[in-house]
Amino acid sequence: MALWSSAKELIRGDPSVEPGLDLDSIRTKIYRPGLTALERRHLFETITSPFPADQFLVHIVALAELTKDGKDVATFESDILPLVARWLNYWFRAASAIRKKGKEREKGAKAQELPKEELCLNHVYEYSTNLLRFSFNAFREQDICTLLEQLLYMCKKTTASSDIKNSVQMVDALVTYGGIPRPLLERCLDVLCGAYGTLKDLSEPVWSTISNLCKSHSAQNTVTALLDILRSPSGHCDRNTNTLRGAFILLKRLWQANGAHGLATLSTTAILSALQLVLAANSARLELEILETILSLLRESSFTDALNQEDSWSILANVLAECSQKTTEKMKVTSSGSADNDPKTQESAVKGAECLNKIVLVLEDCCSHSNFSHKQTLMDFFLVVSHRLPNTTAEMLVKFYVDEHLCYPSSPGWLADSKHLVKCFVADQARPVSVRMQVLEEMSRVYDLVETHLSPALTCQFVDPILAHFPAETDGQVLENLKAFALKVADHPSKQASDLAIGALARCISPEFSLNSTTPSAETDLARSGPVPHATYAGPLVSEAAVATLTSIFIRALDSSALKVKEGFFHVLRAAHSRESDSPTRIAALQLLFRLRSDAANAIYVTPVFDSECLAAALGRTAEFRDSSKGVQDCPRSRQSRQELRTTAPSSKSPSITPQPTGSSTTSRSSGSTLRSSRRHVCWVYREECARPDEAARGTGNVVGSSSTAGGKPGSASGTKTGLTLNIKLWLETLISILQQEDDWEVYSYVVVHMPSQLANHSLFVQAVPQIQMLRSVLCEQLRSGSIREPPASAGIKKSDILACLFQALAILLTYHQSFSKNEQDEIVRAFLVGIGSGERTTRYCIHALAVCCHELPLSISKSLNGILQKMSQVITQSQIAIHILEFLAGLARLPEVYVNFREEDYRTVFGVSFRYLQYVRDQREKGAESALTRSSVGPDPASRIRRESGVPVEASLTPSAANDLPQYVYALAYQVITFWFLSVKLVDRPKYTSWITKNLVLTDATGREVIDEQSLVTIDLMQRVTYSDHDETLSDPRFAGPAEETIAKKTWLLGMSIVTIETALRSGKSQITKRQPSATTHWTYLSRIAQRPLHQIPISSNTITDAHEEAPPVAVLPNHILLQMASSSWRIPASMRSIPLPDDDATQRAISMFDRNSMVDGHKVGVIYIAEGQTEEAEILANTHGSNDFTEFLTELGILTRLKGASFNTQGLDREMDSDGEFTFAWRDRVTEMVFHIPVMMPTDEERDPQCVNKKRHTGNDFVNIIFNNSGLPFRFDTFPSEFNYVNIVITPEARATTGHVAKPGVTEPHQRFYKVQVMSKPDFPQISPAAETKVLSGRSLPAFVRQIALHASVFCLVWANREGGEHVSSWRNRLREINRLREKHTPSAPSNITSPGPTPPSAGGISAGGGIGGQRESLGFRRTSGPGFFASSGDGLTSQRSSIFSTATTATETDAGGFVEGESLADGYDFSKWAA
């Protein structure tokens, strides 16, 4: 005990003990073998009694020696662990304080250089570990728990890795040599997991510890505790992500060990379930670890096998889905640039996304195996992470949903899945178009079921996400599918669903749209507020598609829903008016608005085609023009590109849609202002847009009308179901606003091209009279002042081309003249007068319009006629408009009520124009213009050919000038004008013009010799016949001599250019004289009044006609006597003027018979075909046996009903004996022209024997010209009647198409209240020269005369055209002249002649018929007239010689050998009969 006491005092530091005593020597003294328990206890208490901190190392060394480094703790086993726990706590706090003060040891420092506190703490760690290693079984569990709790506390609080490392060693010792108490197992595992997840150099030691645990009796508890750590991360605020990460990795190693080396087994389901919960920690690094682990595991077949066995794919999918969601959220935070953004988090999120993409590819490979049974689970996962799917996986997913019908209502969750597919694949425009369209097609199929079986509310939930994507779409193909889907929804019977579709489309045009804006008051607001700003989020392609879809909705609803029609019209009209909309969008809107039409019942419909190609060609907007043009760019499809089209942005304050008065807006625009287009962008081409929209063919509506009156009752639309009307006034005001204020060339050009076609539909604007009046005022003002804007230079057209379009619109507008005052009508005519001379096309259009005015506005034309003629006389140098001027003058000559106030100078102006064109043709002949007659030179370009085949007229200017190519027609027209107008002169005034006309009909050839051609000669012949007489045709009388006469003597002579036949009754001397001239055959009777023989006169004895034995007649007269009575008496007659007796033989009779077969008038045949409602085939059309009432009225005014059987005139092939072609037909005739109409409805119909109506076709099929009365309600196609000879079809179409039960406008019976479109269609390669080449509109009152006139001109031209290759067409008058010449050449010696006959070549030399000079073999029809003086006044050479002989006594010196003319006398003077007949 003495020894112990000494040691005790030494330990305590008793001052009596010598300091610095070596500890080893103490050990030797205090430790000896055989210490009793009491001594050990006393020694323990002494060592552990309080002592200064700086002596701690001595004490712990002593304690270690006492316990043999923890191997012997007998007698104090219950006290030592609490003591060590206190020491750990004390020195941990001391070390922590030192660390906090920054007294960390430097790198490379030696262990003994550690602070005392660190050194003491390490000694305690080491001693504690030894105690647990060697004496675990000696300790109580509660003491172990106390030590362990202290250790765990230190681990949670420490910031030094050395503490963690020492703690792990202690726990490992505890696990290896004993066990962790159950209550502290999870806390110990927390520390171990944290160490594993934090310190790489401890990963293996920790794993070793965990392995030992998993091999012990606590193995299951350990696994459960590890899983609990993952399952409840959110319940432990002190559990960091490193702990979770460590637990996850440790569990992964346990699962991978799969029970090897005695380790506990772990199910895949358990670990995956835990992983799903651990994600609540929201750690990017942990999530990355999980994803990387799953990726590595998926590449092991054992893992997938385990998933299959345990059916754990759904858990895996949930874990991956949540990882994907969290990764996405973190990447969003990263991309937003938030202040909370952590670079490490960003890096982990990016890597996690990459890992997810790899996992998706692995899973895709799994799904590709046919025996894979968990495809549904993975597909659900793919749907959740669809934004991460590569395109191949996306295609697989979509295909799976389509094949399995998972979006159908029969599938659970179909609505959510459908929305998700739409959101991820339709809305994601980075996806392949094929995938997106596949989804849309499936949604369309689903909608077909939803629409039928589900409620409207659920239907709206389904379609809303699809329609909501419409504004953001940029791909054209997808837009087409979206449009089709929107159309389906709009067709839904529920207003809720259809409003959803229309609203979505309307928002693409206007972002401020709401369903309430479609109320009727909203239409009024449109006129007040102007256009709504364009949606900033909907691109041009989308807005155009939206308008196109609204157009289709409008058309499809025309026969079902008036409300949809009005809503569609409202939004389309907004798009057209808004200047904030891009050009393609506005043009898409205009396409519908310009297709609106009203039928005979005033019901609105949409026409499938336009008839505006002429005007489109004028502005270079045909497809052929675009294909052939260089530098033409497609229209831009972006806002930026649209701004390039407008060099100046429009005003921020949108103009009102209501048009401004004509004096303000129009005149404020100077004529030099230019429509804006910085580059050659083409947004519309006629050929392309003509086929749009596809539904136009079904746009036959009866729910919305154009008129609010029916049968005089206001408030309902005639012929419609609902009685609702469209506000056409608003559309017309928009149109006027564009004409006045538009600065977008694409929009403006579209309007001016398509406006005339719509204006032709009078029924559409029946309630827009004020707007029609305003439009007239605007057009007249702009045309009169020339205030229209210049087209952009890049358009490649002239201002005159725009003028042509506007003049065409005014030509249609003039037919609204009943709504205009007389002054306004006069203003229209004056506007056309301004256009003459403004360019070739403009001049032509104005002349054509004036031709219509002659019928519709005769008083206004009469008032301005002098100015019109002056204008035409000023432009006669333009050869390309020769035909149009001459046709106008020829037609005017047949309208005496128009030229009733003509003066002499007016007549001379008309004749002067004709002479100028005759001279032009003669000059062409002199210059060798024969080359212009080649067939290739007259053919139109391919654009014309294509369009004519579809039955729409082609712009005449596309072909070379017909005046240049076929001067024969100009020649014929000029002579017609001379003939018609000479006949129109009053009889008493005609002699004033004969000398002047004759002089101009004589020409001088290249040698200076005066000559006269055949046509001039027959024209002079006509003038000679009618200058002093207006008698009609005469008729021969076979019983002229009376019944008492028995013997008739007949004799024929050639006298000048006529054949004179005299038939004389020998007894009475009564004679019938037949004079056959080129222009006519006349019959006269001659009777000498025999005086009473004086009583003192002896009887006359004569043997002239009797033998000596016969009784002499009282009077004996021979035909020769009659001839001599009309000749000069006792005067020398030149040889050329002497009559030439013709022998009475068969040859002479045949010649005269052939002469008589040439008609005395210009004969024409024209077919008139009626097409009933809905008819398109030739056979059914020709089988018609009657027409409509207005067709019958048309025929009645077109000609005169004439009996065919026994007809004495040329019926142009119609049977005159057996009524095989009908009993009657219509025909028309004036003094020089005859037209016979072939009318199939008046011909017999035998559908059994002749189902193809060949008997009818043999007439109409051989007619050059047919008049088509098209009441079908469908566009007429030229190829409806195939024929080699039908060159021209004059198509008459009611402006309001017929509907069932209506063949004319309801309530309209007066012809002037009905209107018809007249359109001349021609065969390919046939020039278009008619005034109706561009569609014209005429009232029913004016229609027959106008159509008859253009049919006549067309027939003349066709005859010229048909003979263009073989030479020329020779008229009947010229044929008659030639027959006379043949007889003269046969019976007299040949002599030089002043008469020119051009012969077959060159055909341009003249000789074309004028004034009845066109015709074939004809029969005469006339009436008997009595004779008068001057019968033998002839156009032949002899008469002028006869006149000269009166003043000449030396005929041999003054006569020419051949002509008999006075020497020095001009040829014109010689033919001027007025000088000697006056």
Coordinates of all heavy atoms in Angstrom, one line a residue, residues 28-89:
T28 N 6.6 0.3 -13.6 CA 7.3 -0.9 -13.0 C 7.0 -1.0 -11.5 O 6.8 -2.1 -11.0 CB 8.8 -0.7 -13.2 OG1 9.1 -0.6 -14.6 CG2 9.5 -1.9 -12.7
K29 N 6.8 0.2 -10.9 CA 6.6 0.2 -9.5 C 5.1 -0.1 -9.2 O 4.9 -0.8 -8.1 CB 6.9 1.6 -8.9 CG 8.4 1.9 -9.0 CD 8.7 3.2 -8.4 CE 10.2 3.6 -8.4 NZ 10.5 4.9 -7.9
I30 N 4.2 0.4 -10.0 CA 2.8 0.3 -9.6 C 2.2 -1.0 -10.1 O 1.1 -1.4 -9.6 CB 2.0 1.4 -10.0 CG1 1.9 1.5 -11.5 CG2 2.5 2.7 -9.5 CD1 1.0 2.6 -12.0
Y31 N 2.8 -1.6 -11.1 CA 2.2 -2.8 -11.6 C 3.1 -4.0 -11.1 O 4.3 -4.1 -11.4 CB 2.1 -2.8 -13.1 CG 1.2 -1.8 -13.6 CD1 1.6 -0.7 -14.4 CD2 -0.2 -1.9 -13.3 CE1 0.7 0.3 -14.9 CE2 -1.0 -0.9 -13.8 CZ -0.6 0.1 -14.5 OH -1.5 1.1 -15.0
R32 N 2.4 -4.8 -10.5 CA 3.1 -6.1 -10.1 C 2.1 -7.2 -10.3 O 0.9 -6.9 -10.1 CB 3.7 -6.0 -8.7 CG 2.6 -5.7 -7.6 CD 3.2 -5.7 -6.3 NE 2.2 -5.4 -5.3 CZ 1.5 -6.4 -4.8 NH1 1.6 -7.6 -5.2 NH2 0.6 -6.1 -3.8
P33 N 2.5 -8.3 -10.4 CA 1.6 -9.5 -10.5 C 0.8 -9.7 -9.2 O 1.3 -9.5 -8.1 CB 2.5 -10.6 -10.8 CG 3.7 -10.0 -11.3 CD 3.9 -8.8 -10.6
G34 N -0.4 -10.2 -9.4 CA -1.2 -10.6 -8.2 C -1.9 -9.5 -7.6 O -2.2 -9.6 -6.4
L35 N -2.2 -8.4 -8.3 CA -3.0 -7.3 -7.7 C -4.4 -7.9 -7.4 O -5.0 -8.5 -8.2 CB -3.1 -6.1 -8.6 CG -1.8 -5.2 -8.7 CD1 -2.1 -4.1 -9.7 CD2 -1.5 -4.6 -7.3
T36 N -4.9 -7.5 -6.2 CA -6.2 -8.0 -5.9 C -7.2 -7.1 -6.5 O -6.9 -6.0 -7.0 CB -6.4 -7.9 -4.3 OG1 -6.3 -6.6 -3.9 CG2 -5.3 -8.8 -3.7
A37 N -8.5 -7.5 -6.4 CA -9.6 -6.7 -7.0 C -9.7 -5.4 -6.3 O -9.9 -4.3 -6.9 CB -10.9 -7.5 -6.9
L38 N -9.5 -5.4 -5.0 CA -9.6 -4.2 -4.2 C -8.5 -3.2 -4.7 O -8.7 -2.0 -4.8 CB -9.5 -4.5 -2.7 CG -9.7 -3.2 -1.8 CD1 -11.0 -2.5 -2.0 CD2 -9.5 -3.6 -0.3
E39 N -7.3 -3.8 -4.9 CA -6.2 -2.9 -5.3 C -6.5 -2.3 -6.7 O -6.2 -1.1 -6.9 CB -4.9 -3.7 -5.3 CG -4.4 -4.1 -3.9 CD -3.2 -5.0 -3.9 OE1 -3.0 -5.7 -5.0 OE2 -2.5 -5.1 -2.9
R40 N -7.0 -3.1 -7.6 CA -7.3 -2.6 -8.9 C -8.4 -1.5 -8.8 O -8.3 -0.5 -9.5 CB -7.8 -3.7 -9.8 CG -6.7 -4.7 -10.2 CD -7.2 -5.8 -11.0 NE -7.9 -5.4 -12.2 CZ -7.3 -5.0 -13.4 NH1 -5.9 -5.1 -13.4 NH2 -8.0 -4.6 -14.4
R41 N -9.4 -1.8 -8.0 CA -10.4 -0.8 -7.9 C -9.9 0.5 -7.3 O -10.2 1.6 -7.8 CB -11.5 -1.3 -6.9 CG -12.7 -0.4 -6.7 CD -13.5 -0.2 -7.9 NE -14.5 0.9 -7.7 CZ -15.3 1.3 -8.6 NH1 -15.2 0.8 -9.9 NH2 -16.3 2.2 -8.4
H42 N -9.1 0.4 -6.3 CA -8.5 1.6 -5.6 C -7.6 2.3 -6.6 O -7.6 3.6 -6.7 CB -7.7 1.2 -4.4 CG -7.2 2.4 -3.6 ND1 -8.0 3.3 -3.0 CD2 -5.9 2.9 -3.5 CE1 -7.3 4.2 -2.4 NE2 -6.0 4.0 -2.7
L43 N -6.8 1.5 -7.4 CA -6.0 2.2 -8.4 C -6.8 2.9 -9.4 O -6.4 4.0 -9.9 CB -5.1 1.1 -9.0 CG -4.0 1.6 -10.0 CD1 -3.1 2.6 -9.3 CD2 -3.2 0.4 -10.6
F44 N -7.9 2.3 -9.9 CA -8.8 2.9 -10.9 C -9.3 4.2 -10.5 O -9.3 5.2 -11.2 CB -9.9 1.9 -11.3 CG -10.9 2.5 -12.2 CD1 -10.7 2.7 -13.6 CD2 -12.2 2.9 -11.7 CE1 -11.6 3.2 -14.4 CE2 -13.1 3.5 -12.5 CZ -12.8 3.6 -13.9
E45 N -9.8 4.2 -9.2 CA -10.4 5.4 -8.7 C -9.3 6.5 -8.6 O -9.6 7.7 -8.8 CB -11.0 5.1 -7.3 CG -12.2 4.3 -7.4 CD -12.8 3.9 -6.0 OE1 -12.1 4.3 -5.0 OE2 -13.9 3.3 -5.9
T46 N -8.1 6.1 -8.2 CA -7.0 7.0 -8.1 C -6.7 7.6 -9.4 O -6.5 8.9 -9.6 CB -5.8 6.4 -7.5 OG1 -6.1 5.9 -6.2 CG2 -4.6 7.4 -7.4
I47 N -6.6 6.8 -10.4 CA -6.3 7.3 -11.8 C -7.4 8.2 -12.4 O -7.1 9.2 -13.0 CB -6.0 6.1 -12.7 CG1 -4.7 5.4 -12.3 CG2 -5.8 6.6 -14.2 CD1 -4.5 4.1 -13.1
T48 N -8.6 7.9 -12.1 CA -9.7 8.6 -12.7 C -10.2 9.7 -11.8 O -11.1 10.4 -12.2 CB -10.9 7.6 -13.0 OG1 -11.3 7.0 -11.7 CG2 -10.5 6.6 -14.0
S49 N -9.6 9.9 -10.6 CA -10.0 11.0 -9.8 C -9.6 12.3 -10.5 O -8.7 12.3 -11.4 CB -9.3 10.9 -8.4 OG -7.9 11.0 -8.6
P50 N -10.2 13.4 -10.1 CA -9.9 14.7 -10.8 C -8.4 15.0 -10.9 O -7.7 14.8 -9.9 CB -10.7 15.7 -10.0 CG -11.9 14.9 -9.4 CD -11.3 13.6 -9.1
F51 N -8.0 15.6 -12.0 CA -6.6 16.0 -12.2 C -6.5 17.1 -13.2 O -7.5 17.3 -13.9 CB -5.8 14.7 -12.6 CG -6.4 14.1 -13.9 CD1 -6.1 14.5 -15.1 CD2 -7.2 13.0 -13.7 CE1 -6.6 13.9 -16.2 CE2 -7.7 12.4 -14.8 CZ -7.4 12.8 -16.1
P52 N -5.5 17.8 -13.2 CA -5.3 18.9 -14.2 C -5.3 18.3 -15.6 O -4.9 17.2 -15.9 CB -4.0 19.5 -13.8 CG -3.7 19.1 -12.4 CD -4.3 17.7 -12.2
A53 N -5.9 19.1 -16.5 CA -6.0 18.7 -17.9 C -4.7 18.4 -18.5 O -4.6 17.6 -19.4 CB -6.8 19.7 -18.7
D54 N -3.7 19.2 -18.1 CA -2.4 19.0 -18.8 C -1.7 17.7 -18.4 O -0.7 17.3 -18.9 CB -1.5 20.1 -18.5 CG -1.3 20.4 -17.0 OD1 -2.0 19.7 -16.2 OD2 -0.5 21.2 -16.6
Q55 N -2.3 17.0 -17.4 CA -1.8 15.7 -17.0 C -2.6 14.5 -17.5 O -2.4 13.4 -17.1 CB -1.7 15.6 -15.5 CG -0.8 16.6 -14.9 CD -0.7 16.4 -13.3 OE1 -1.3 15.5 -12.7 NE2 0.1 17.3 -12.7
F56 N -3.5 14.8 -18.5 CA -4.4 13.8 -19.0 C -3.7 12.7 -19.6 O -4.1 11.5 -19.4 CB -5.4 14.5 -20.0 CG -6.4 13.4 -20.6 CD1 -7.4 12.9 -19.9 CD2 -6.1 13.0 -21.9 CE1 -8.2 11.9 -20.4 CE2 -7.0 12.0 -22.4 CZ -8.0 11.5 -21.7
L57 N -2.7 13.0 -20.4 CA -2.0 11.9 -21.1 C -1.4 10.9 -20.1 O -1.4 9.7 -20.4 CB -0.9 12.5 -22.0 CG -1.4 13.3 -23.2 CD1 -0.3 13.9 -23.9 CD2 -2.3 12.4 -24.1
V58 N -0.9 11.4 -19.0 CA -0.3 10.5 -18.0 C -1.4 9.6 -17.4 O -1.2 8.4 -17.3 CB 0.4 11.3 -16.9 CG1 0.9 10.3 -15.8 CG2 1.5 12.1 -17.4
H59 N -2.5 10.2 -17.2 CA -3.6 9.4 -16.6 C -4.2 8.4 -17.6 O -4.4 7.2 -17.1 CB -4.8 10.4 -16.2 CG -4.5 11.1 -14.9 ND1 -5.0 10.8 -13.7 CD2 -3.7 12.1 -14.6 CE1 -4.6 11.6 -12.7 NE2 -3.7 12.4 -13.3
I60 N -4.3 8.8 -18.8 CA -4.9 7.8 -19.7 C -3.9 6.7 -20.0 O -4.3 5.5 -20.3 CB -5.4 8.5 -21.0 CG1 -6.3 7.5 -21.8 CG2 -4.3 9.0 -21.9 CD1 -7.1 8.2 -22.9
V61 N -2.6 7.1 -20.0 CA -1.6 6.0 -20.2 C -1.7 5.0 -19.0 O -1.6 3.8 -19.2 CB -0.2 6.6 -20.4 CG1 0.8 5.5 -20.4 CG2 -0.2 7.4 -21.7
A62 N -1.8 5.6 -17.9 CA -1.9 4.8 -16.7 C -3.1 3.9 -16.7 O -3.0 2.7 -16.4 CB -1.9 5.7 -15.4
L63 N -4.2 4.5 -17.1 CA -5.4 3.6 -17.2 C -5.3 2.5 -18.2 O -5.7 1.4 -18.1 CB -6.6 4.5 -17.5 CG -8.0 3.8 -17.5 CD1 -8.3 3.2 -16.2 CD2 -9.1 4.8 -17.9
A64 N -4.6 2.9 -19.4 CA -4.4 1.9 -20.4 C -3.5 0.8 -19.9 O -3.8 -0.4 -20.2 CB -3.8 2.5 -21.6
E65 N -2.5 1.1 -19.1 CA -1.6 0.1 -18.5 C -2.4 -0.7 -17.5 O -2.2 -1.9 -17.4 CB -0.4 0.7 -17.8 CG 0.5 1.4 -18.8 CD 1.2 0.4 -19.7 OE1 1.3 -0.8 -19.3 OE2 1.5 0.7 -20.9
L66 N -3.2 0.0 -16.7 CA -4.0 -0.7 -15.7 C -4.9 -1.8 -16.3 O -5.1 -2.9 -15.8 CB -4.8 0.3 -14.8 CG -5.7 -0.3 -13.8 CD1 -4.9 -1.1 -12.7 CD2 -6.6 0.7 -13.1
T67 N -5.5 -1.4 -17.5 CA -6.5 -2.3 -18.2 C -5.9 -3.1 -19.3 O -6.6 -3.8 -20.0 CB -7.7 -1.4 -18.7 OG1 -7.1 -0.5 -19.7 CG2 -8.4 -0.7 -17.7
K68 N -4.6 -3.0 -19.3 CA -3.9 -3.7 -20.4 C -4.5 -3.4 -21.8 O -4.9 -4.2 -22.5 CB -4.0 -5.2 -20.1 CG -3.3 -5.6 -18.8 CD -3.4 -7.1 -18.6 CE -2.7 -7.6 -17.3 NZ -2.9 -9.0 -17.1
D69 N -4.6 -2.1 -22.0 CA -5.1 -1.5 -23.3 C -6.6 -2.0 -23.5 O -7.0 -2.3 -24.6 CB -4.3 -1.9 -24.5 CG -3.0 -1.1 -24.5 OD1 -3.0 0.1 -23.9 OD2 -2.0 -1.5 -25.1
G70 N -7.3 -2.1 -22.4 CA -8.7 -2.4 -22.5 C -9.1 -3.9 -22.4 O -10.2 -4.3 -22.5
K71 N -8.1 -4.7 -22.2 CA -8.3 -6.1 -22.2 C -8.8 -6.6 -20.8 O -9.4 -7.7 -20.7 CB -7.0 -6.9 -22.6 CG -6.6 -6.6 -24.0 CD -5.3 -7.3 -24.3 CE -4.8 -7.0 -25.7 NZ -3.5 -7.6 -25.9
D72 N -8.5 -5.8 -19.8 CA -8.9 -6.2 -18.4 C -9.5 -5.1 -17.7 O -8.9 -4.1 -17.3 CB -7.6 -6.7 -17.6 CG -8.0 -7.3 -16.3 OD1 -9.2 -7.4 -16.0 OD2 -7.1 -7.6 -15.5
V73 N -10.8 -5.2 -17.6 CA -11.5 -4.1 -16.9 C -12.3 -4.6 -15.7 O -13.3 -4.1 -15.3 CB -12.5 -3.4 -17.9 CG1 -11.8 -2.7 -19.0 CG2 -13.5 -4.5 -18.5
A74 N -11.7 -5.7 -15.1 CA -12.4 -6.3 -14.0 C -12.4 -5.3 -12.8 O -11.5 -4.5 -12.6 CB -11.7 -7.6 -13.6
T75 N -13.4 -5.4 -12.1 CA -13.7 -4.6 -10.9 C -14.2 -3.1 -11.2 O -14.8 -2.5 -10.3 CB -12.5 -4.4 -9.9 OG1 -11.5 -3.6 -10.5 CG2 -11.9 -5.8 -9.6
F76 N -14.0 -2.7 -12.4 CA -14.5 -1.3 -12.7 C -15.2 -1.3 -14.1 O -15.2 -0.3 -14.8 CB -13.4 -0.2 -12.6 CG -12.1 -0.6 -13.3 CD1 -12.0 -0.5 -14.7 CD2 -11.1 -1.2 -12.6 CE1 -10.8 -0.9 -15.3 CE2 -9.9 -1.5 -13.2 CZ -9.7 -1.4 -14.5
E77 N -15.7 -2.5 -14.5 CA -16.3 -2.5 -15.9 C -17.5 -1.7 -16.0 O -17.9 -1.2 -17.1 CB -16.6 -4.0 -16.3 CG -17.6 -4.7 -15.3 CD -16.8 -5.4 -14.1 OE1 -15.6 -5.3 -14.1 OE2 -17.4 -6.0 -13.3
S78 N -18.2 -1.4 -15.0 CA -19.4 -0.6 -15.1 C -19.1 0.9 -15.1 O -20.0 1.7 -15.4 CB -20.4 -0.9 -13.9 OG -19.7 -0.6 -12.7
D79 N -17.8 1.3 -14.7 CA -17.5 2.7 -14.6 C -16.6 3.2 -15.8 O -16.6 4.4 -16.0 CB -16.8 2.9 -13.3 CG -17.6 2.6 -12.1 OD1 -18.8 2.9 -12.2 OD2 -17.1 2.0 -11.2
I80 N -15.9 2.3 -16.4 CA -14.9 2.8 -17.4 C -15.5 3.4 -18.7 O -15.1 4.4 -19.2 CB -13.9 1.6 -17.7 CG1 -12.8 2.2 -18.5 CG2 -14.6 0.5 -18.5 CD1 -11.6 1.3 -18.6
L81 N -16.7 2.8 -19.2 CA -17.2 3.3 -20.4 C -17.9 4.7 -20.2 O -17.7 5.6 -21.0 CB -18.3 2.3 -21.0 CG -17.7 1.1 -21.7 CD1 -18.8 0.3 -22.3 CD2 -16.7 1.4 -22.7
P82 N -18.6 4.9 -19.1 CA -19.1 6.2 -18.8 C -17.9 7.2 -18.7 O -18.0 8.4 -19.1 CB -19.9 6.1 -17.5 CG -20.3 4.7 -17.6 CD -19.2 3.9 -18.1
L83 N -16.8 6.8 -18.1 CA -15.6 7.6 -17.9 C -15.1 8.0 -19.3 O -14.8 9.2 -19.6 CB -14.5 6.9 -17.1 CG -13.2 7.7 -17.0 CD1 -13.3 9.0 -16.3 CD2 -12.1 6.8 -16.4
V84 N -14.9 7.0 -20.2 CA -14.4 7.3 -21.5 C -15.3 8.2 -22.3 O -14.9 9.1 -23.0 CB -14.2 6.0 -22.3 CG1 -13.8 6.2 -23.7 CG2 -13.1 5.1 -21.6
A85 N -16.6 8.0 -22.1 CA -17.6 8.9 -22.7 C -17.4 10.3 -22.3 O -17.5 11.2 -23.1 CB -19.0 8.4 -22.5
R86 N -17.2 10.5 -21.0 CA -17.0 11.9 -20.5 C -15.7 12.5 -21.1 O -15.7 13.7 -21.4 CB -16.9 11.9 -19.0 CG -18.3 11.6 -18.3 CD -18.3 12.0 -16.8 NE -17.3 11.2 -16.1 CZ -17.5 10.0 -15.6 NH1 -18.7 9.4 -15.7 NH2 -16.6 9.4 -14.9
W87 N -14.6 11.6 -21.1 CA -13.4 12.1 -21.6 C -13.6 12.5 -23.1 O -13.1 13.5 -23.6 CB -12.3 11.1 -21.5 CG -11.8 11.0 -20.1 CD1 -12.0 11.7 -19.1 CD2 -10.9 10.0 -19.7 NE1 -11.4 11.3 -17.9 CE2 -10.6 10.2 -18.3 CE3 -10.2 8.9 -20.2 CZ2 -9.8 9.4 -17.5 CZ3 -9.4 8.1 -19.5 CH2 -9.2 8.4 -18.1
L88 N -14.3 11.7 -23.9 CA -14.6 12.0 -25.3 C -15.3 13.4 -25.4 O -15.0 14.2 -26.3 CB -15.4 10.9 -26.0 CG -14.7 9.6 -26.3 CD1 -15.7 8.6 -26.8 CD2 -13.6 9.9 -27.4
N89 N -16.3 13.5 -24.6 CA -17.1 14.8 -24.7 C -16.2 16.0 -24.4 O -16.2 17.0 -25.0 CB -18.2 14.7 -23.7 CG -19.1 15.9 -23.8 OD1 -19.5 16.4 -24.8 ND2 -19.4 16.5 -22.6

